[in-house]
Amino acid sequence: MALPGVQHIVVVSSGKGGVGKTTTAVNLAVTLAKHGKTVGLLDGDIFGPSVPRMMNISEAPLVDERNMMVPLLNFGVKCLSMGLLVESGPVVWRGPLVMSAIQRLLKGAAWGPLDILVVDTPPGTGDVHLSLSQNVPIDGVVLVSSPQAAALDITKKGAEMYRTLNVPLIGLVENMSHVVCDKCDNRIELADNLIEKYVQELSVEVLARIPIEKDVMQCCDAGTPVCLKFPDSLFAKSYRLSNE
């Protein structure tokens, strides 16, 4: 069943952890908002939510007269995360509670009106992904991977899971793809066309090749998306290109 007032739902996914899914989801959301779209960002990582820090939000959401949570707004993006609803300790839940939490974040919130809801997902191919696909129509999945085989192998498994669930694959973002020297502008590739084999096997295109830049980690920790703080960086330009 569609979410009231939400035109499109895009999932950001990769079976592998640590490849930059949340960084991608956050910067995609704020870039879309900057280009005139009404955007929401749902943190689907129940056990390790990172969106509150990266989006610089911390307050518990209010509840309206319909008992619907009101997403927090920052950088022009409506946000919800389990990290806003629980204390700082770990979430130790079995599958049914995880699926119930995802349903509450999706259908128990006043998301609309939105052009796009971006959903950041946890590593793996488990309860969260199944619950998303069962509860709402997903328009497509943006895969994220760093360029080494260990990450791409797991990303491929995640892609095959969504194909099994009849969810379209939009394409793949190659994160931490390369480094550009800030003194000579020489581009240093971190893998020799390794990703080409995987995109051919998956029959998807590479949406963007995102470089490693020193400001990314500091901006994530400080709660300021890189695409907003450094709009002329190679990192930010990669997101504008993929948006266009």
Side-chain angles (χ1 to χ4, degrees):
M1 183 182 295
L3 289 181
V6 178
Q7 298 300 312
H8 300 287
I9 298 175
V10 173
V11 168
V12 177
S13 177
S14 171
K16 186 76 170 62
V19 297
K21 291 184 298 298
T22 306
T23 303
T24 300
V26 163
N27 283 280
L28 176 61
V30 298
T31 300
L32 288 168
K34 191 175 179 180
H35 283 74
K37 302 294 184 182
T38 53
V39 184
L41 175 60
L42 170 59
D43 187 350
D45 195 341
I46 302 299
F47 298 109
S50 301
V51 165
R53 176 179 290 278
M54 292 192 188
M55 289 293 289
N56 196 24
I57 52 177
S58 58
E59 300 84 6
L62 299 175
V63 177
D64 67 14
E65 65 280 358
R66 301 169 296 163
N67 198 33
M68 302 284 280
M69 289 184 293
V70 180
L72 275 64
L73 182 67
N74 202 14
F75 307 119
V77 176
K78 297 179 181 179
C79 304
L80 268 185
S81 168
M82 184 55 63
L84 303 171
L85 302 174
V86 299
E87 300 296 330
S88 58
V91 175
V92 186
W93 289 349
R94 293 188 184 274
L97 286 174
V98 174
M99 298 177 80
S100 177
I102 287 294
Q103 186 168 355
R104 172 67 172 151
L105 290 168
L106 278 169
K107 296 188 174 180
W111 284 109
L114 288 181
D115 293 319
I116 302 172
L117 176 63
V118 177
V119 184
D120 178 37
T121 59
T125 55
D127 295 321
V128 169
H129 304 272
L130 291 172
S131 187
L132 284 170
S133 63
Q134 290 169 353
N135 275 281
V136 291
I138 301 172
D139 290 275
V141 178
V142 174
L143 302 168
V144 181
S145 183
S146 50
Q148 72 266 37
L152 287 162
D153 283 344
I154 307 302
T155 300
K156 183 179 176 183
K157 292 179 186 294
E160 290 169 346
M161 172 199 66
Y162 275 108
R163 279 242 167 93
T164 300
L165 295 170
N166 295 316
V167 178
L169 303 179
I170 297 172
L172 188 143
V173 172
E174 184 183 8
N175 196 33
M176 298 177 277
S177 165
H178 57 278
V179 178
V180 177
C181 177
D182 57 3
K183 294 188 170 30
C184 66
D185 290 332
N186 185 43
R187 176 171 169 146
I188 303 168
E189 298 291 341
L190 301 182
D192 295 329
N193 296 321
L194 181 61
I195 202 167
E196 300 304 329
K197 169 193 169 199
Y198 287 85
V199 295
Q200 288 175 11
E201 290 176 355
L202 291 169
S203 298
V204 298
E205 63 176 312
V206 178
L207 299 174
R209 300 179 189 269
I210 311 293
I212 294 176
E213 290 192 354
K214 62 183 180 181
D215 296 315
V216 174
M217 182 175 65
Q218 290 89 338
C219 285
C220 288
D221 288 347
T224 305
V226 186
C227 287
L228 297 183
K229 187 167 185 180
F230 299 102
D232 295 324
S233 65
L234 291 174
F235 186 95
K237 289 176 180 177
S238 298
Y239 280 86
R240 289 205 297 274
L241 179 62
S242 60
N243 180 55
E244 294 165 356

